Structure formats: C-alpha cells, structure tokens
Amino acid sequence: MENRRVRVRFAPSPTGPLHIGGVRTALYNYLFAKKQGGDFLLRIEDTDQDRFVPGAEAYIIEALKWCGICPVEGVGFGDGPHAPYRQSERKPMYRAYAEQLLKSGNAYYAFDTKDELEEMRKRMEAGGGTSAYNAITRQSMKNSLTLPEDEVKQRLESGQAYVVRIKIPRNEEVRVQDLIRGWVVVHSSQMDDKVLFKSDGMPTYHLANIVDDYTMQITHVIRGEEWLPSAPLHVLLYRYLGWESVMPQFAHLPLLLKPDGNGKLSKRDGDRLGFPVFPLEWRDPVTKEVSSGYRERGYFPDAFVNMLALLGWHSSGNQELFTLEELVSEFSLERVSKAGAKFDPEKTKWFNQQYLRKRTDEELTELWIPELNAKGVKAERGYIVKAVRLIKEKGNFLNEFWSLGSYFFERPEKYDPEVIKKRWNDSSMGFIKELKEAFEKLEVFTALETESLFKATAEKTGIGAGQVMQLFRVCISGLAGGPALFEMVELLGKQEVVGRLEMALNQLERKHS
Ligand code: GLU
C-alpha cells in the first residue's frame, strides 16, 4: 500500500452544474495529487440515467479548465490506461463483480415490485420501525434468501426484473478510518441492503464507484461529507470483493455552510443572497432559468481558486494569498477542518480585489482594452495604463473599471447631485471660476503644482479648501469619489481640466439660475 503511486479522482455525477462545493472537492484532490507527485483523474458517474442533465458534463470540464485544475486522465482531458472514464461506457465490466458477490453469499437477488416495497414501508412505519430493507425485513420479502432455489432460477430464466442487493450482516461494527475525522464506527443494524446492480445491467453508484476506484487504482478518496454515510457500505464492499489490502484511504471534506452558518450552502442561496454558487453561468436546459457564475461576475480564476482553497483548509501560518503552486506545496489533509466552512461573500470579493491589485497595470490594460474598443474609446495605450493605475485602487473587478473611470476618456454627462446640492453656491462657483483661470496660466501641470495652486486659490478667494475639494472633483469627473484627486488632474491634463471646469460652470450655472 505504502509504495503505490498516489492516484485520486474527482467523480461528479452529471446531474446539473457543478456547485462551488464540488469545485472545492476537485481542487483538494488536485492539490493533494500534485503535492504527492501523483495523478488526478476525472470520472463521470452517470449510472443514474434518470438524473442525467444534458450539458452538465461539458460544464464540469469547462469549469475545471477555467480554474486551471486539470486532470491528467479523464473525460475531456485525454484517455489514460483506464479508459473509458464515463461509467455508462464501462457498463459491461460491472456484472462480473455483482456475480462475484452473489457467489460468495454477500449479495442476493431481490424480486420485490414497487408496490411490495411500498407495502413493506407502510407496515414498518406503522409499527414504529424503520422501513429499511435489512437483515430483519429481508426475511419477509421476495428474494433469493427467502424463495426456494428453483423458483429463483425460474424467475431469473424467465427474464423477470430483479435487483442485486448487498447482504449487510445483522450484528457487526463497521469501522471506517477517515483522514480528517479519525475512526468512524457504524453498527450494521443501522445500514440497509443497498441495491448494487439492476437486471438492465446497470450498476448503482455504490458498486460502480467501488469497482472503478479499485480498477483505476485509486489510493485516496477525497469527497464531500455527504458521502460519509456511504463509507461503511463501501468498506464492506472492499472486504467482500477481497480488495481490503488496496482499499483507498478516505477523507470526507466539511460542508460549505450558508453565510450565517445555518445549514448547507444550497443552489438556491446564491441568487437569493446575491452571490453565485456556481463557477460558471448555467442555463437550465429545461426551465431556461439562468444561475450566475463567478466567471461571468468578473472574478479572476486564480482569486476564485484561492478563496475556495481556504474554505475548510488553512495554512500553517496566517497567509491568505496563495498562488496555485504555493497551495500545492502548502496543502495537507491534516489541516482540513472537520467543522463546516461558512461561505463569506464579502471575503470572496476581497480576494478578487487582492488579485486585481497584484496584476500589473500593463496586464490590466491588456484585459481592459477590448471593452474600451467596443465602446469606441480612442486613447493612447500609455494613457490607459496610467488611468488603470489610478482606477484599480478603487475597484474589486475589472468590469467596474468603466463605471469607476469612464471620465478618463469622456467628459461627464452628469454631476453627483448630492454634492452639487450641498456645495454649489455663489462662493464655490466663484472659486471654480478663479481656479479655471489660474489653471489656464499654469505652465507645469503636475499633481504637485495643481494642488498648491488649488490651495492658493482657495486662500485667495477666502474659501476653505476642504469646502471645495469634492466639488472640484465632481466638476471634472462627475463622481463624488475616486482616486487621488491631483494625480487624476495631472493625467487628464491642462486642456481637458480647464475645458471641464468651463463646461461645469456653464451647465451648473444654467441649472441654478
Ligand atoms: N458521484 C458522486 C458525486 O456525485 C461521487 C462521490 C464519490 O466521490 O465517491 O458526488
């Protein structure tokens, strides 16, 4: 066991878009594999054809690519030695294992109809018991443990529908060792005889999952906490199939919780609380309903991945910002917490802001230029780079740049009404006039020079500089807030600033008279 090459898998079912909890599972698998120099696989678990959703598989692949956490083998990423990686395509290989379990007496055929199962459920519930198909209830049902051998044979030969169920022992402790939770002990009386295989030749999740993990030589199963209740069953399957010595180690990851900590973060929370719970936008193929995604909201994939990594794991120090390579070298399952991780939408924005600031002005310019071109903006690249330097301090997202800094490229169309209401009066208007005239005469139009001239003009007109600072900003940008005022003035340049002051005087004077 010790000498096996580490191999882990992400095994989603294509039943809808991948939730961010699923992306985190994929990420932890990826980080663990890379750290150990092992392999990360993608397997599509599509045995439940009733829950199949068109487009879901392509979505999963695209989401992993966007995040930059690409498997080395798997659907959409190239075949390795264990192809195919879609369970529906592996269908022929499961029957033999169901038969092996039948032969060893660890599984049995059951022929109960839907109505018979329903009747049993009612009967058990009326008696105050659980309705599970288990060591007790199986004795009064139609299966190969209760029916005479020749009747079983005859039913099978006549092609009657059946399922194969695992025969859970009546009185046994099943122990699962979890790398995050330690020993988890479940009594077999709490377990039920789960269906493993159906007469249409399709395995259920449980059988397919175990067979695939075994045949794909998976060494560690890292998955969400919602699968912990299935783990004892999986342990028994490994035992009954004779694979205990190569059974993977389990690690069940903590749940992602709603921002208030009350319950699991659900698909519905996102749009209700105003943040995405999906990596990419998703359009439901049936209802056409659109759920928002981090990519479309303007998140950088590295910021998104960094944020996700810290939902349930922490580093040895207090560091919060990690590149993917740093995450790989820092990651360990020992520092994954048992307790659920509260999702914090504000912190998520903070991560993007940090990554925005980490990008160089040149990089951001490159990313922004397509939007500027689409708006028909004509500006020199050097000018855009300088505008970006000022704008990026104020935003969390690239897609806010235009609303934060369009005034670098066009004159304002309106002026912040609050500021105007509060600050525009005869004396401030007089000041703006004076300032415009002073600026016209200023030869060296730098931040430093314009600022001292601004102060001197305020003094000269007998108005407090603090009284007119924001008004001046509104006159040239339209906005009440923004980057360092005089740097903005320097970048806009003398002609533009003077022109804008003149325009403001005309427009605002007209409004007030
Ligand atoms: N197909 C399961 C899912 O959708 C995989 C569980 C596991 O990793 O074993 O999450």
Side-chain angles (χ1 to χ4, degrees):
M1 181 85 198
E2 270 75 52
N3 298 326
R4 291 166 80 200
R5 178 181 176 81
V6 165
R7 284 173 61 81
V8 297
R9 84 306 192 269
F10 178 49
S13 297
T15 54
L18 193 58
H19 180 269
I20 51 176
V23 184
R24 187 198 57 177
T25 299
L27 174 64
Y28 285 12
N29 273 285
Y30 173 90
L31 297 175
F32 183 76
K34 289 270 159 188
K35 170 86 184 257
Q36 311 288 326
D39 304 327
F40 169 52
L41 280 67
L42 173 65
R43 183 172 73 224
I44 298 291
E45 300 207 324
D46 57 352
T47 52
D48 190 350
Q49 299 285 326
D50 295 341
R51 294 181 61 220
F52 179 82
V53 173
E57 182 187 290
Y59 180 99
I60 292 165
I61 294 166
E62 199 180 335
L64 295 181
K65 285 187 179 161
W66 181 66
C67 292
I69 48 177
C70 293
V72 287
E73 293 168 38
V75 179
F77 293 93
D79 284 348
H82 301 283
Y85 295 89
R86 218 179 259 118
Q87 287 183 330
S88 56
E89 291 170 19
R90 300 170 67 79
K91 186 174 162 185
M93 71 175 70
Y94 302 110
R95 181 182 291 273
Y97 298 103
E99 275 165 9
Q100 185 186 333
L101 291 165
L102 285 161
K103 214 180 263 164
S104 62
N106 294 116
Y108 59 93
Y109 292 107
F111 302 97
D112 315 277
T113 61
K114 247 196 186 135
D115 290 347
E116 286 163 344
L117 290 168
E118 180 64 7
E119 205 177 288
M120 184 261 272
R121 193 182 65 79
K122 284 201 187 123
R123 203 169 60 232
M124 295 308 291
E125 280 173 8
T130 61
S131 58
Y133 205 115
N134 60 20
I136 297 177
T137 54
R138 73 164 84 107
Q139 290 169 7
S140 58
M141 302 301 287
K142 288 205 177 65
N143 52 54
S144 55
L145 301 173
T146 59
L147 298 170
E149 211 173 301
D150 41 333
E151 186 180 337
V152 172
K153 211 169 153 216
Q154 181 259 317
R155 280 178 186 252
L156 291 174
E157 277 166 7
S158 68
Q160 208 178 93
Y162 65 83
V163 295
V164 174
R165 289 181 180 271
I166 184 170
K167 189 175 164 200
I168 297 285
R170 181 158 186 177
N171 188 9
E172 197 179 308
E173 271 191 347
V174 185
R175 297 161 67 82
V176 181
Q177 193 176 22
D178 185 277
L179 292 169
I180 297 165
R181 282 147 222 278
W183 284 101
V184 178
V185 183
V186 176
H187 196 269
S188 65
S189 60
Q190 303 303 309
M191 299 167 65
D192 57 339
D193 292 357
K194 284 269 184 297
V195 173
L196 302 177
F197 193 79
K198 297 183 203 148
S199 47
D200 64 3
M202 208 47 145
T204 60
Y205 154 72
H206 300 291
L207 182 66
N209 185 272
I210 267 44
V211 168
D212 287 346
D213 282 347
Y214 170 74
T215 54
M216 293 180 177
Q217 297 171 336
I218 298 303
T219 56
H220 297 78
V221 166
I222 303 168
R223 62 185 172 191
E225 187 181 313
E226 62 273 28
W227 298 101
L228 186 59
S230 301
L233 169 68
H234 296 174
V235 166
L236 287 182
L237 282 171
Y238 279 102
R239 187 178 308 161
Y240 296 158
L241 287 163
W243 299 336
E244 238 174 339
S245 64
V246 287
M247 183 168 79
Q249 290 186 267
F250 292 101
H252 289 90
L253 306 175
L255 293 175
L256 291 192
L257 305 176
K258 295 183 203 300
D260 63 7
N262 278 326
K264 199 171 146 180
L265 183 66
S266 78
K267 299 192 179 186
R268 259 168 290 120
D269 288 326
D271 290 315
R272 186 174 62 84
L273 300 170
F275 57 85
V277 291
F278 299 115
L280 320 175
E281 190 174 273
W282 167 257
R283 174 184 283 266
D284 188 287
V286 178
T287 63
K288 306 283 176 234
E289 195 190 331
V290 176
S291 306
S292 58
Y294 281 87
R295 182 178 63 183
E296 290 72 14
R297 281 283 173 98
Y299 279 84
F300 290 121
D302 44 5
F304 174 70
V305 164
N306 190 158
M307 175 284 288
L308 270 187
L310 292 174
L311 282 178
W313 169 86
H314 62 92
S315 70
S316 50
N318 289 327
Q319 190 181 341
E320 289 189 294
L321 297 177
F322 296 92
T323 63
L324 194 56
E325 294 71 46
E326 287 168 336
L327 285 171
V328 166
S329 73
E330 280 280 313
F331 188 78
S332 79
L333 288 171
E334 285 83 66
R335 280 199 307 276
V336 172
S337 69
K338 288 199 226 1
K342 264 193 245 172
F343 183 76
D344 182 346
E346 286 312 308
K347 189 75 190 218
T348 304
K349 285 186 203 150
W350 177 85
F351 274 105
N352 206 67
Q353 182 195 52
Q354 300 306 306
Y355 276 78
L356 188 77
R357 296 191 180 161
K358 268 187 8 182
R359 298 275 193 285
T360 65
D361 302 337
E362 284 284 346
E363 279 173 285
L364 291 170
T365 299
E366 201 54 44
L367 292 171
W368 196 24
I369 278 180
E371 185 186 349
L372 295 178
N373 285 343
K375 291 195 185 301
V377 166
K378 301 252 174 306
E380 299 225 332
R381 192 188 171 90
Y383 179 85
I384 303 174
V385 173
K386 286 183 187 152
V388 160
R389 183 175 69 82
L390 296 175
I391 298 169
K392 80 172 184 189
E393 292 307 315
K394 292 287 150 190
N396 297 330
F397 299 96
L398 186 71
N399 61 22
E400 295 170 336
F401 276 22
W402 182 252
S403 60
L404 289 170
S406 61
Y407 59 81
F408 281 113
F409 308 98
E410 55 188 35
R411 291 190 173 181
E413 280 171 6
K414 41 189 192 311
Y415 301 97
D416 185 279
E418 296 283 312
V419 177
I420 297 303
K421 198 165 146 220
K422 193 160 158 219
R423 297 287 184 205
W424 189 259
N425 51 43
D426 286 347
S427 59
S428 64
M429 191 174 76
F431 166 79
I432 295 290
K433 264 189 199 150
E434 283 278 339
L435 184 67
K436 190 201 84 162
E437 280 157 26
F439 276 173
E440 269 170 334
K441 288 183 217 124
L442 186 63
E443 302 230 319
V444 187
F445 204 79
T446 59
L448 212 64
E449 295 295 329
T450 51
E451 183 169 7
S452 56
L453 188 55
F454 178 92
K455 286 185 182 146
T457 309
E459 210 160 296
K460 191 173 145 206
T461 48
I463 202 163
Q467 301 274 307
V468 280
M469 190 83 94
Q470 201 185 17
L471 180 69
F472 169 53
R473 179 190 286 281
V474 170
C475 287
I476 56 174
S477 73
L479 305 178
L485 180 57
F486 293 97
E487 289 187 36
M488 174 176 131
V489 165
E490 177 179 326
L491 179 59
L492 282 165
K494 176 165 153 175
Q495 203 187 345
E496 194 55 34
V497 170
V498 167
R500 288 184 185 201
L501 290 179
E502 199 166 278
M503 185 176 94
L505 283 164
N506 283 334
Q507 302 225 349
L508 293 168
E509 224 168 347
R510 228 180 297 132
K511 264 188 213 151
H512 277 253
S513 52

